[in-house]
Amino acid sequence: MYDAFYNLKKKPFQLNPDPEFFFNSAVHRRALAYLRYGLAQGEGFVVVTGAPGTGKTMLVKELFETLSNKRVVAGLMVTSQVGAEDTLRIVAATFGLSYDGDAKAILLKNLENFFKLKAREGKRVLLVVDEAQNLPFQSMEELRMLLNFEMDGKPIFQVFMLGQEELRSTLKGNKMEQVRQRITAIYHLRPLEEEEAKEYILHRLTTAGWNHDPKISDGAFREIYQYTSGTPRIINTLCDRLMLYGYLEELHELDEVSVKTVVGEIEQDAVRSRSSVISETDETTPMEHIHAGAARYEMPSGNIEERLAQLERTVAGLRNTVNKERALLRKAILLQLDMEQVYQDTPIE
């Protein structure tokens, strides 16, 4: 794929969070500071919120990397809509404890024993709850009650909650007063500023072994920011497609025209996806579609100006069709490359 074409050691814009690519922007640096402050406090809830794709999960992975040599036992829990007892089972499973079929009292006792065992070893247990906006009130209450476990007057369990913006609204609810009282720090992640977005892209490219091939123009950076509004995940998606486009077109410089072309393809994909849903209820037969298409390209009647105008519209339509076919060809090449990669990576028995 394009990583080999541009002599990169790995894909720079993969969507899977990789701590190696962590970009210490002002907003992420501040969020990490809040997490570390909360960790130093050693108790209660620490809350980080942000829109989808702003880097909350990457923050967790970066935090875990920094915890590798510290006396903290950390577990990551990705939530869904679960009941209170299911929440306790998920917490137990996160730390490798028995949970299947156990009654609530047994679950609580097992968790308390585990927390105290780690405390006697000089360690503290930290639960990181990702997608915490999905937690119902009763689950929040169960986590709050777990915070009450202590030994020798010191807290032995702590919870970090990461969630989308609706988590902030949830925490403002009338029933959440006791949960709010246990929050020691809260921070909201915002998207990157335009200059930060450029630095973010260059950071990921450099980390992947980029040696200024392809070159990226200032205009390209402006177009990327305009389309993504500085959201890291959207930047990754667009830049990954942009690098693929550069590879398929054998480009060694990407400019604003390249970005606009790729954005156009992405938007056309979105339109086609919506159209495919609509077409499920379309009762027009294939032959009717063919006749409708043919009618559009009949030689127009009227004076020469009208005929020329109609022919220009026809050419524009054909040009659009060619562009769509080229986009499909790119996808076909990408699929073929993926299949070849899978074949190469599969060991021979």
Side-chain angles (χ1 to χ4, degrees):
M1 293 174 62
Y2 68 73
D3 46 342
F5 180 74
Y6 291 121
N7 295 312
L8 303 172
K9 64 182 181 182
K10 60 193 305 184
K11 288 184 67 176
F13 299 108
Q14 58 187 355
L15 294 181
N16 184 48
D18 183 348
E20 183 181 358
F21 287 97
F22 178 73
F23 177 63
N24 202 21
S25 72
V27 66
H28 291 87
R29 184 164 56 250
R30 191 172 178 84
L32 267 180
Y34 271 78
L35 291 177
R36 288 171 179 146
Y37 167 79
L39 193 62
Q41 293 296 102
E43 60 180 336
F45 291 107
V46 176
V47 180
V48 176
T49 60
T54 49
K56 299 182 295 295
T57 305
M58 180 69 91
L59 274 178
V60 173
K61 290 184 176 277
E62 177 65 15
L63 179 68
F64 280 10
E65 288 287 310
T66 64
L67 293 179
S68 58
N69 296 320
K70 296 186 178 181
R71 304 184 73 80
V72 176
V73 178
L76 175 62
M77 168 180 162
V78 180
T79 70
S80 58
Q81 292 287 352
V82 295
E85 290 192 26
D86 286 332
T87 299
L88 292 177
R89 291 190 175 92
I90 294 173
V91 174
T94 299
F95 294 107
L97 305 178
S98 172
Y99 65 92
D100 189 17
D102 290 341
K104 180 177 179 179
I106 296 176
L107 288 168
L108 287 170
K109 192 61 181 177
N110 288 344
L111 286 167
E112 182 182 13
N113 290 339
F114 174 73
F115 297 159
K116 290 183 174 179
L117 172 64
K118 295 304 172 185
R120 284 190 289 269
E121 295 174 357
K123 299 178 180 179
R124 187 170 73 257
V125 180
L126 168 65
L127 176 69
V128 179
V129 182
D130 201 4
E131 301 297 339
Q133 76 278 354
N134 294 325
L135 284 176
F137 169 72
Q138 287 299 327
S139 296
M140 291 269 197
E141 278 293 291
E142 290 295 345
L143 293 178
R144 183 182 68 83
M145 295 302 294
L146 290 180
L147 295 175
N148 291 329
F149 288 131
E150 59 180 39
M151 193 171 74
D152 299 329
K154 296 180 179 180
I156 54 178
F157 178 65
Q158 189 173 22
V159 178
F160 285 5
M161 291 196 294
L162 309 176
Q164 296 178 24
E165 293 167 287
E166 52 263 40
L167 176 60
R168 294 171 69 89
S169 300
T170 299
L171 293 173
K172 293 177 182 177
N174 294 332
K175 297 190 296 183
M176 290 291 181
E177 177 62 29
Q178 294 189 75
V179 173
R180 288 197 298 271
Q181 291 175 359
R182 304 300 298 270
I183 295 175
T184 59
I186 185 167
Y187 186 73
H188 183 69
L189 275 175
R190 58 168 175 76
L192 302 173
E193 299 291 344
E194 184 169 356
E195 187 60 31
E196 285 181 320
K198 177 179 178 179
E199 292 172 0
Y200 171 81
I201 294 168
L202 294 175
H203 167 76
R204 293 192 72 102
L205 284 168
T206 302
T207 303
W210 177 65
N211 192 26
H212 301 279
D213 182 20
K215 294 180 181 178
I216 304 176
S217 72
D218 290 338
F221 285 117
R222 285 193 298 271
E223 288 296 327
I224 291 170
Y225 184 77
Q226 183 175 344
Y227 178 77
T228 64
S229 299
T231 301
R233 186 185 299 162
I234 303 177
I235 291 175
N236 289 353
T237 300
L238 174 56
C239 287
D240 188 64
R241 288 282 295 264
L242 181 63
M243 296 289 283
L244 174 63
Y245 170 80
Y247 157 63
L248 294 172
E249 297 293 332
E250 298 185 355
L251 301 176
H252 293 280
E253 181 171 356
L254 301 172
D255 56 16
E256 61 263 44
V257 175
S258 304
V259 179
K260 287 179 179 179
T261 300
V262 173
V263 167
E265 291 179 355
I266 293 173
E267 291 177 344
Q268 286 178 9
D269 289 346
V271 170
R272 280 194 291 269
S273 296
R274 290 193 295 269
S275 298
S276 66
V277 174
I278 295 173
S279 67
E280 293 178 1
T281 60
D282 185 1
E283 297 180 356
T284 307
T285 66
M287 285 305 297
E288 288 172 331
H289 279 297
I290 292 172
H291 290 309
R296 288 198 301 269
Y297 297 106
E298 291 177 357
M299 179 62 70
S301 59
N303 59 40
I304 190 65
E305 289 82 4
E306 291 174 348
R307 296 176 67 182
L308 284 174
Q310 180 62 43
L311 287 172
E312 287 174 355
R313 288 193 291 270
T314 300
V315 170
L318 291 172
R319 185 180 294 113
N320 186 47
T321 300
V322 170
N323 289 336
K324 290 180 180 178
E325 293 298 329
R326 291 185 67 187
L328 290 173
L329 178 60
R330 292 192 188 102
K331 291 183 179 180
I333 293 172
L334 175 58
L335 179 61
Q336 179 64 31
L337 290 169
D338 285 342
M339 293 175 64
E340 291 176 358
Q341 185 64 44
V342 169
Y343 177 79
Q344 292 172 3
D345 292 342
T346 303
I348 298 176
E349 300 293 341

